[in-house]
Amino acid sequence: MNATTPTQREPVRTIFQKGAPGRRAFVCPTVDVPAPEVSQLLPERFRRAQPPRLPEVSEPEIVRHYVGISKRNFDLDSGFYPLGSCTMKHNPRLHERVAALPGHARLHPLQDVERAQGALELMWKLQGALAEISGLPYVSLQPSAGSHGELAGVLLTRAYHEDRGESRHKVLAPDTSHGTNPATVTMAGLELVKLATGADGGIDIDDLRAKADEDVACLMLTNPNTLGLFDANIVEIAEIIHGVGATLYYDGANLNAVMGLSRPGDMGFDIVHFNLHKSFTQPHGGGGPGSGPIAVSERIEPFLPVPVIARAADGSFTLEYQRAKSIGRMRGFQGNYGCFVRAYAYICSLGAEGLRDVSEAAVLNANYLLARLRQLGVAEHLPLAYGELCMHEFVLNGGPMKRELKIKTLDLAKRLLDFGFHPPTVYFPLLVEEALMVEPTETETRETLDAFAQAIAAILHEAAEDPMIAQNAPYSTPVRRLDEVAAAKHPVIREALD
Ligand SMILES: Cc1ncc(COP(=O)(O)O)c(C=O)c1O
């Protein structure tokens, strides 16, 4: 298999550096009504002495500018994107058609409830489907991302304990947990206590017993966890947590392994959040807004965010604001409605059996890829970190590769770009040395999985001959190795990059 040839590197210019004074892409019609005073349009304190400088470009220049930038990017529509924990699956075009229907796309967030009955019905039905999938009966669609759903969930837990006159300040989470879990705990004003991972890749039960006490508000858990393993001790874990009066929180960002197969509610969880922009196919990663609904058990329901969608006896829908124990609003309006439409279209077009097929195929694809990598001899340098099989994703240990072939996981990831693949997630979970976390998803073909496995084998083979090739990769991308720390801390977004 050959890497692509290097493309010519053109200088990147911002749209402000293009065009010429007076050039326009759009001509506003002449005002044929009395023009209002500027002061009526914008209060004095918001006005500048000079209007802001805008790009002066023609329509073809705008189109070429943005199409050109988009071609420099790597996206799911152009190639395999096996980011672990992120579920970069195909976004069916049917969903876009449905979301673009005028009744959905032109709905105004301030529309009267009486005139938004169809939208409320769709949201109500989506809530019902998510309740069924999670095994938890009450749903709020409000949160705008997985991490926002987590925050809602931890605030719900806090409100639940406070209502019982308890002040619990600790939240338990395993050392494999997604970075947003500890961040959420801190944002909610609680204290994080980390749980160790046992030899089987699940929670170390002795450590859990030692740390579960009456100061614990909840345990946050992902199952299957970020090692791609289902924690078979979940019933015992739930008993320990409920035994000390705490709640059990399911980080359901990624449900791709379990839809239609197992339900957090049946495992004993009290609260779960979903990432509609993962398992339920919303475009994400810069491709669109997110949505992180939550589902909860009966004892948590009184605390749900307001407004809650309610159905009257005559079948009409209303928004309920008067709920004495609610944690309040998590955001303006009802959430990202376009995400609800797409997720609902996905659930309806697949049905219960189809969702189950999705999860089974996701698990099958991940295990197929793992087996293919083993068959190609990759496991010698990149062994599976824990276990033998996986659920929807797996984590490889890059330690032997680093020691024996002198290339790091980062080098492998960068070299994959030259083979036309987006790299998997790297260096997460933190407890795995030189971690490489791969989630192929159910929408990839066998040929793609084979080609990816061959690319990894080829890179390792190449590194055995000359590690410098991977160490200096990529060669074919518009930019080579970036100073990622500087890029994050001092982003240059208003000047030419070259
Ligand atoms: C396991 C897990 N939990 C939580 C999140 C947070 O979701 P979001 O990025 O939508 O805030 C993610 C995704 O990044 C995740 O993979």
Side-chain angles (χ1 to χ4, degrees):
M1 177 152 194
N2 289 322
T4 51
T5 48
T7 54
Q8 203 175 349
R9 297 179 64 215
E10 296 152 20
V12 178
R13 289 189 298 151
T14 67
I15 193 134
F16 287 92
Q17 293 164 315
K18 296 184 176 173
R23 200 173 284 168
R24 294 285 180 274
F26 181 75
V27 180
C28 294
T30 325
V31 183
D32 59 359
V33 291
E37 287 293 316
V38 177
S39 59
Q40 287 176 273
L41 296 173
L42 200 61
E44 178 73 41
R45 66 183 189 284
F46 293 130
R47 270 183 268 146
R48 306 177 189 190
Q50 293 296 322
R53 191 170 77 83
L54 295 174
E56 298 186 82
V57 281
S58 66
E59 186 172 301
E61 280 177 299
I62 295 179
V63 172
R64 285 191 187 148
H65 178 74
Y66 287 108
V67 171
I69 290 178
S70 77
K71 283 184 173 170
R72 289 171 173 261
N73 210 346
F74 192 103
D75 56 87
L76 190 53
D77 292 338
S78 35
F80 186 40
Y81 207 133
L83 269 189
S85 199
C86 279
T87 318
M88 302 299 285
K89 60 162 89 170
H90 173 67
N91 307 134
R93 295 312 188 249
L94 170 73
H95 305 173
E96 301 306 319
R97 277 173 54 199
V98 178
L101 291 173
H104 293 310
R106 297 208 188 138
L107 192 67
H108 194 279
L110 290 174
Q111 193 103 15
D112 284 344
V113 164
E114 298 76 52
R115 289 173 163 255
Q117 287 292 303
L120 290 172
E121 181 169 359
L122 184 143
M123 289 162 68
W124 168 269
K125 288 184 169 167
L126 175 61
Q127 290 184 181
L130 295 177
E132 182 61 37
I133 291 166
S134 62
L136 289 165
Y138 302 98
V139 175
S140 167
L141 300 176
Q142 243 183 60
S144 302
S147 42
H148 201 209
E150 287 172 32
L151 182 63
V154 174
L155 294 177
L156 286 171
T157 293
R158 209 177 64 180
Y160 165 77
H161 291 301
E162 280 170 7
D163 187 56
R164 293 161 57 91
E166 298 170 354
S167 71
R168 295 174 176 243
H169 64 279
K170 291 187 200 161
V171 174
L172 305 179
D175 52 7
T176 52
S177 73
H178 192 263
T180 48
N181 293 183
T184 295
V185 173
T186 309
M187 273 192 80
L190 300 171
E191 181 194 326
L192 175 80
V193 178
K194 273 196 195 171
L195 295 175
T197 293
D200 61 354
I203 281 191
D204 179 330
I205 295 284
D206 292 336
D207 196 37
L208 174 65
R209 280 193 198 285
K211 291 174 180 165
D213 59 28
E214 298 199 344
D215 286 334
V216 172
C218 78
L219 164 66
M220 294 183 89
L221 195 64
T222 312
N223 197 23
N225 63 17
T226 58
L227 292 168
L229 301 171
F230 190 87
D231 200 320
N233 296 323
I234 187 60
V235 173
E236 191 180 349
I237 292 169
E239 277 167 12
I240 297 171
I241 288 300
H242 289 153
V244 295
T247 65
L248 206 49
Y249 182 94
Y250 188 96
D251 176 340
N254 194 333
L255 287 180
N256 235 32
V258 295
M259 289 186 295
L261 297 168
S262 68
R263 308 194 306 169
D266 300 338
M267 295 182 222
F269 285 88
D270 300 279
I271 307 171
V272 55
H273 84 260
F274 309 80
N275 275 27
L276 297 187
H277 47 289
K278 290 188 179 174
S279 325
F280 299 92
T281 77
Q282 304 301 306
H284 67 133
S291 180
I294 44 173
V296 303
S297 61
E298 192 142 13
R299 60 179 175 152
I300 306 291
E301 188 272 344
F303 309 96
L304 279 178
V306 283
V308 166
I309 303 172
R311 187 166 210 181
D314 66 357
S316 64
F317 295 94
T318 53
L319 292 173
E320 262 182 30
Y321 289 87
Q322 301 309 321
R323 292 172 56 92
K325 294 187 177 180
S326 166
I327 58 168
R329 265 190 178 281
M330 289 302 296
R331 53 159 289 151
F333 310 116
Q334 313 308 324
N336 286 324
Y337 180 71
C339 294
F340 306 155
V341 179
R342 291 182 183 87
Y344 189 60
Y346 183 61
I347 293 169
C348 290
S349 57
L350 288 177
E353 273 182 31
L355 286 179
R356 190 189 178 108
D357 289 348
V358 162
S359 287
E360 286 179 350
V363 174
L364 183 65
N365 268 6
N367 281 287
Y368 175 81
L369 182 55
L370 191 56
R372 217 42 204 115
L373 288 168
R374 285 191 181 128
Q375 197 182 39
L376 294 169
V378 166
E380 187 192 335
H381 302 295
L382 275 171
L384 186 64
Y386 286 85
E388 280 297 307
L389 292 170
C390 63
M391 298 295 286
H392 59 301
E393 62 192 357
F394 56 85
V395 179
L396 303 177
N397 177 340
M401 174 180 74
K402 185 176 162 191
R403 283 185 290 279
E404 292 149 20
L405 300 178
K406 311 284 177 256
I407 65 167
K408 294 186 286 187
T409 292
L410 185 68
D411 303 324
L412 172 70
K414 296 291 181 194
R415 186 66 178 133
L416 274 168
L417 289 164
D418 291 329
F419 285 78
F421 296 111
H422 193 282
T425 297
V426 293
Y427 300 102
F428 176 72
L430 301 177
L431 80 165
V432 176
E433 186 188 4
E434 292 286 318
L436 187 76
M437 183 189 209
V438 187
E439 181 181 3
T441 83
E442 75 285 359
T443 55
E444 296 300 333
T445 63
R446 183 174 173 174
E447 293 78 32
T448 301
L449 302 181
D450 286 343
F452 180 73
Q454 277 156 13
I456 295 213
I459 295 169
L460 297 189
H461 186 73
E462 185 183 76
E465 305 277 310
D466 181 3
M468 297 269 288
I469 300 176
Q471 286 164 4
N472 292 319
Y475 303 92
S476 63
T477 47
V479 285
R480 302 276 305 275
R481 289 231 184 171
L482 299 174
D483 179 344
E484 289 169 12
V485 176
K489 292 198 167 174
H490 309 288
V492 180
I493 52 173
R494 302 188 60 177
E495 291 162 27
L497 296 177
D498 277 18

